[in-house]
Amino acid sequence: MKIIVIASLIAIAQVCSAQERSSFNITQQNGLPSNTVYDLFHDSRGFLWVATENGVARFNGTEFTSYDHKKVRSKAVSGLFEDKFGRIWCHNFYGEILFIENDTLRKLDSWESRYEEGFPTISNLGDSLLISTQRHIYSYDLLKKQWRLLDSKIANLPTLIRYHAVHDRETWVCATTGTQTFIKSLSTGGRALEMPKRNRSKSPTLFQLNYWKGKTRILNIVDNELYELRYDTIVDVSSAYRKQLAKSRSIKSLGDSILALYGNQGIELFFKNSWIELLNGKNVSAITSDREGGLWVSTLNEGLFFFPNLFTTIFSKTKYGLFTKLAFDSIHHRLFAGKYNGQVAVIDSSVIVKTIFTSNQKEIQSLYVDQESNQLLVFSDRLYFFDLTSFQKKGQVEIGAVKSIVKLKGFFYLATSGGVYLLNPSSNLTTRLPFDYRTSRMAFVPTTNELWIGTQKGVMIFSFETNKQTWWKPDSTSISPGVSAMELLPDNQLLIGTLTDGVYQLSGHRLLNKITKMKGLPSDHITALSYDQGKLWIGTDRGLCSYTLKDKTFFTLDAAKGLAGNEVYSLVASSMGLWVSHSEGLQYFKRLPGKNTSKPLIHLKQVTSDGKSINNFTREIRLQPFSRQLTITFDVSNDLKGRGTTMIRYRVKGLDLDRWNEVSLATPVANFLSIPSGNYTLEVVALNEDGVLSSNRLLIPVIAMAPFWETTWFIFFAALLLLTGISSILYFRLKRLSEINQAALVQQNLSQELRIAQLTSIRAQMNPHFVFNTLAHIQSQVLNGMKEAANQSIQDFSSLLRKVLDFSSKELIPLQDEIEVLQKYLSIEKDRFDGSLQYEIAVAESVRNEIVHIPSLLTQPFVENALRHGLMHRTGEKKLSIRFDLENDCLVILIRDNGIGRKASAEFNKARKKEHQSFALEAYSRRIDLLNASRDRKIELAINDHYNELGAATGTSVFITIPLEDEPARKK
């Protein structure tokens, strides 16, 4: 009998597995200087400071900024705190005192002569620092930079000082002699209190003082005992904390809401009137909280752990494996969680109380709780029936992969990979419905007496009244969507999750709403749906959110709110909380986190121009003449939860029509390639993961100094010199006018040669701004370390220049060569458009069958006009099409863009006072005249602007018609 009881207890211990609190581990792979962390501190600006074996670092929630000093004797640091001037202080393991000021690590050199063996204890005391060693205690005035020895205040105490602590500006000193330990308040000047003497300790006892809920607590680190200071009496309260003290060597209060006892066996956290175990078995060195409700824990060998939400727990995949399907028993308030190994976990009150085993280790593909017959239906390799009370197997049915189960009028309808089957539970016989498609989800709508069947190819409706099936489509022009999930609401509205189009909300056969990524979903690939109390929970391959059906609002549950994995497999939402199976395990949210109302702080981290740093950038950014490139790196504090999702919006007033730009904290860099000379203002704000605006707004002057030739004095003397030159030229021109008239006849004979020379000159020109911008883009790639992209850009640009130089000496070139130049040119421009440019060069089949020659570089200037003055200023999708066709023995070239039109472009350039002008129509007409001089049939040009029904410009078309009668030999 005794053996049976012991065996039962062992089995229960193996089955009853509790969840862990969900956390994120941050290690050296994420940029942490070392996985050995000694201390943590959350400063007044919202940054997290980390003291490690390899130095001190600042963390903004996304990246670490490390600090180093060449003359320190040890990189290992601890004892972090902040003084009233915003400086961060610490000491290294050699005993040197360090501080960070103006983003630079400095050493307190005047401490060297007072240093003793061992670590100093340092505290902030208003305008001073309090520093104690093993034999002395000092005060250091931060303003006067003066030292003061305070030993006289503790003259009646033994001279071996072990520790001091400051609470609410009251300073306590702990001192020992032999095996006796005393504590004394230096602030009140009261008598020294002797700590209770314990025979267990052979060495002087070390103590930590802690202030929590109005009481001073004293932790005996050696003997694991806890005391409270009540007036002039020290009371032993260890019995109330015996379990927690057994695993602890430190005590820390986080406000009045949390008390933490921690050590090499994890953390015992007193929170919401109960104790919580965190990081059981891990060697914890420090703990702190941030203003957003997050908890940060450091360890001595595993880096940092971040708990964004203490109300969520997880069965991690590393310990329990992955969970596939979930089902909820609303009567017994139990969750059934299927796994990849053929097992089903029975979870009650966040504890696995039972594991149901199928006869194989294949993935659980579907679960169904049949409360009417008190059965659980499970499919892995076959369909199993288990009793909901005893969890004993009652039977099984051989059938193909079952993805979804619906019960109607005592019968089970099974959506399988081979179609839909009707299962009679009394006989276990199956009947296949006349439906040949691979099915995944089903839902029965009682108001219409229809079974909705979801497949990867669309939605099928089976009517029980007509016994017919029809495909459902959102409208007459759409195709039926591929289905991944279905959910029927209490009012019989049907929600259909799709593979590519988000969620469809239907009433009857009518589409009421389409919920997509454009409206707020993390992704349009839906993986799971669950409805509870007016909220639809939507799982996707890239995250999870809830959608309130009444007011159509979204709430995103992501890593900032504690979600451990983005790829969601299954969902169960109920009054008991939210269960999510995802790529990191099975997670439970007992209470959902609210909106993060903590306002971030935006900072400028670094400003450079042409690769050189600019100092004092918080006051103004001054660009020297010839320095037009500007790179700004941002930083955000007080948003540790965002994990890189914090958005930074910036603009330079006076540039780009004051248009706002946006980057994330994961890539917090703004790059300006060419800033014209003038005075501007940089404006920057930040928004946290819930869209809360930063508490500060940066407004920094930007001064781009003009080169000397743009200054007033230079322009004046240049104008004077120009007038003198023009006068001289007019004089000599009038003098030689008669000579020119006499040479007119000779000039006429040479006119044909002049036309050819002029054509060659015009063909040799390429817009200087294109060359400058391309070189500037390559320079930006080099400055940002994009060596491979810069090398490719140089190759493309050099190839284009070779073609242009080659064609400049030719009057006619094959059409294919002209198209090749356009392709190389557009390839370069597309790279500078950051991929937003879409272009197409189409050649009609009739043209391909001809050997066609055209005047060289005829189309490139108009393509450049379309990019620079049509598409450059357009937001959204930018399209350019070029088509070559034959009509009436003529080559017809159509250049079409969806830009802002010529009128808006002219106004835009005028508003920006833009010096660069588009390719001049007069110059092109001149070239046409020169070309037409030797042609019987003339080249024609037409330019049309397009407008929509509201009168808004929708683009520009250029038509060039070239007769082919003077072409070289042509071949059909």
Side-chain angles (χ1 to χ4, degrees), residues 757-884:
Q758 289 171 325
L759 285 172
T760 303
S761 175
I762 291 173
R763 287 196 300 267
Q765 296 180 22
M766 176 171 283
N767 192 315
H769 276 69
F770 166 71
V771 177
F772 174 78
N773 289 336
T774 302
L775 292 176
H777 178 64
I778 295 171
Q779 180 191 36
S780 174
Q781 290 176 323
V782 173
L783 289 175
N784 287 281
M786 303 167 62
K787 295 183 179 179
E788 294 182 3
N791 183 50
Q792 185 61 45
S793 299
I794 291 172
Q795 293 179 7
D796 293 342
F797 185 55
S798 63
S799 176
L800 176 62
L801 287 179
R802 284 196 298 269
K803 286 288 185 181
V804 171
L805 292 174
D806 179 52
F807 295 164
S808 64
S809 61
K810 298 178 182 179
E811 182 177 356
L812 295 174
I813 62 173
L815 176 61
Q816 184 57 38
D817 289 345
E818 179 81 359
I819 293 173
E820 183 180 356
V821 169
L822 289 178
Q823 289 174 334
K824 291 181 179 295
Y825 172 75
L826 288 172
S827 176
I828 294 173
E829 289 286 27
K830 183 175 182 180
D831 187 38
R832 292 185 56 250
F833 272 75
D834 294 331
S836 62
L837 173 65
Q838 297 183 15
Y839 68 87
E840 176 189 24
I841 300 178
V843 182
E845 190 65 31
S846 58
V847 177
R848 296 174 190 226
N849 295 330
E850 294 279 351
I851 299 178
V852 178
H853 288 71
I854 68 171
S856 64
L857 301 179
L858 188 68
T859 57
Q860 187 272 340
F862 290 101
V863 173
E864 181 175 344
N865 271 358
L867 296 177
R868 290 289 171 270
H869 305 285
L871 297 175
M872 175 66 75
H873 311 305
R874 172 183 173 82
T875 59
E877 191 177 44
K878 299 176 175 64
K879 292 184 177 181
L880 175 68
S881 63
I882 306 170
R883 180 170 179 83
F884 298 84

Side-chain angles (χ1 to χ4, degrees), residues 645-753:
T645 61
T646 307
M647 300 309 299
I648 302 167
R649 291 180 180 171
Y650 65 94
R651 63 178 176 179
V652 176
K653 291 184 177 180
L655 286 180
D656 296 334
L657 296 178
D658 298 343
R659 179 173 56 89
W660 285 98
N661 300 282
E662 192 172 84
V663 295
S664 71
L665 187 57
T667 54
V669 178
N671 195 20
F672 301 91
L673 296 180
S674 181
I675 298 180
S677 59
N679 296 333
Y680 310 95
T681 301
L682 173 67
E683 185 175 4
V684 190
V685 297
L687 296 93
N688 72 4
E689 71 276 7
D690 287 325
V692 176
L693 192 66
S694 56
S695 58
N696 66 328
R697 179 185 296 262
L698 299 183
L699 293 170
I700 300 175
V702 178
I703 303 170
M705 300 176 64
F708 70 90
W709 60 79
E710 293 182 7
T711 59
T712 304
W713 65 267
F714 180 84
I715 294 174
F716 172 76
F717 286 109
L720 182 61
L721 182 62
L722 180 62
L723 289 174
T724 303
I726 291 174
S727 300
S728 300
I729 291 171
L730 288 175
Y731 171 77
F732 288 107
R733 184 175 180 82
L734 291 173
K735 184 177 179 180
R736 292 182 55 83
L737 183 59
S738 59
E739 298 176 5
I740 296 173
N741 290 333
Q742 291 176 4
L745 182 59
V746 177
Q747 183 69 26
Q748 183 177 1
N749 293 334
L750 298 176
S751 61
Q752 183 63 29
E753 295 180 10

Side-chain angles (χ1 to χ4, degrees), residues 71 138 235 263 279 411 534 599 722 770 809 845 908 944:
K71 295 184 179 180
Y138 300 91
V235 180
L279 304 179
F411 293 90
K599 296 182 178 181
L722 180 62
F770 166 71
S809 61
E845 190 65 31
F908 185 89
N944 299 324

